[in-house]
Amino acid sequence: MAAACPLCGSKKIRRGSLHAHDGARHLLLDTPLRCRDCRHRFWAFNPLKPLLLLVFVGALVGVTAWLAREQRTAAPAPDSATALPHTRAEQGDAEAQLQLALRYAEGDGVIQNDKEAARWFALAAKQGLPEAQYRYGRALLEGRGVVQDYKAAFSWIEKPAQHGYAKAQYSLGELYRYGTGTAIDKARAYLWFNLAAAQGMEAAAKARDSLVWQLKPEQIAAMQDEARRMSREASAAPAPAAQEQQPPQ
């Protein structure tokens, strides 16, 4: 601490208070003082402050380095088969193509891109994956990432529906119900709603029941027979990996 006031020379000095406008240099290195006689405020170098600053910075650096090392140690090494679906997709792996398409569709780990999603859905769909066929059909139906094409959408959605994929069965019922990509056929809509409802889809059950009053009893009976026949054929064939079919009502 200074022995005397630099303005009047008085040795009656007391510690001053800090102000918001004091510069960073003074705050970090000096101590504010005030003369009791002339009220002059001045600064004196404080050797303890630089030492405390160095200790604080060193501790902060050490804690940061320790936390970074802990995170690297705790983080599991990524499974290359999961972390790089693009590589496997490019090599023709249908499951990887589907997973990559889903990532692009949802913006999961990549920038959301409907066009890229549709491209990978199409590649996986051509290899026979029911979910990929359904999602590519939906992309065509909605014109999401591809040119809208109702007939092509109907064709792609029909494929997984015939193999017991409930979501596709429900969508196919909607296409028949409103004549999207095909002629209106309420009886066929009832059939596909019935098959999807048998797998627990409440929306399909409601849609099926809403068609009952629009059909003749013989049409309903014929579609129920057709549903049972399709169910028996599906149970005799290997069940799709994505979903097993249940007997319709």
Side-chain angles (χ1 to χ4, degrees):
M1 181 178 294
C5 172
L7 188 63
C8 70
S10 173
K11 295 184 178 182
K12 297 179 180 179
I13 307 299
R14 65 177 178 83
R15 185 180 297 273
S17 58
L18 294 173
H19 295 165
H21 59 269
D22 292 334
R25 174 184 174 280
H26 285 314
L27 294 176
L28 295 175
L29 300 177
D30 301 328
T31 296
L33 302 175
R34 186 176 292 278
C35 176
R36 294 180 182 274
D37 290 332
C38 69
R39 311 296 297 169
H40 175 61
R41 183 172 180 266
F42 57 99
W43 295 87
F45 175 71
N46 187 339
L48 290 178
K49 282 193 172 183
L51 293 176
L52 293 175
L53 180 61
L54 288 174
V55 170
F56 174 77
V57 172
L60 182 61
V61 171
V63 170
T64 302
W66 179 79
L67 289 175
R69 185 178 61 206
E70 287 295 311
Q71 289 179 350
R72 288 195 299 269
T73 303
D79 181 0
S80 59
T82 303
L84 300 174
H86 197 285
T87 301
R88 294 183 295 118
E90 290 283 6
Q91 295 171 350
D93 186 319
E95 285 291 345
Q97 290 170 345
L98 173 59
Q99 292 305 314
L100 188 59
L102 291 171
R103 289 193 179 189
Y104 276 115
E106 300 167 5
D108 179 13
V110 295
I111 297 175
Q112 197 275 338
N113 188 322
D114 287 335
K115 187 174 181 180
E116 277 297 291
R119 182 170 78 89
W120 290 109
F121 279 138
L123 290 172
K126 291 173 183 177
Q127 297 200 61
L129 287 186
E131 184 177 357
Q133 292 173 336
Y134 165 72
R135 288 183 176 270
Y136 183 53
R138 293 296 305 184
L140 288 164
L141 182 65
E142 299 167 13
R144 191 174 63 252
V146 290
V147 176
Q148 194 172 49
D149 189 332
Y150 290 150
K151 289 186 177 180
F154 178 90
S155 177
W156 279 108
I157 292 174
E158 185 181 35
K159 296 177 189 297
Q162 290 176 338
H163 287 88
Y165 194 73
K167 290 181 180 179
Q169 291 173 338
Y170 174 70
S171 291
L172 193 61
E174 290 286 293
L175 298 181
Y176 272 117
R177 184 179 192 173
Y178 298 109
T180 306
T182 186
I184 292 177
D185 190 333
K186 298 293 181 66
R188 300 297 293 180
Y190 178 93
L191 166 67
W192 291 108
F193 286 145
N194 193 27
L195 288 166
Q199 300 193 66
M201 289 195 69
E202 293 184 6
K206 291 179 181 178
R208 176 199 62 197
D209 296 343
S210 71
L211 289 176
V212 171
W213 67 273
Q214 302 179 47
L215 301 173
K216 297 177 181 180
E218 56 267 27
Q219 289 179 300
I220 294 175
M223 291 301 100
Q224 288 176 341
D225 289 341
E226 177 71 4
R228 282 189 284 269
R229 181 191 65 78
M230 293 176 66
S231 180
R232 286 194 298 269
E233 290 180 354
S235 61
Q243 188 170 342
E244 293 183 5
Q245 199 171 25
Q246 302 176 16
Q249 294 182 352

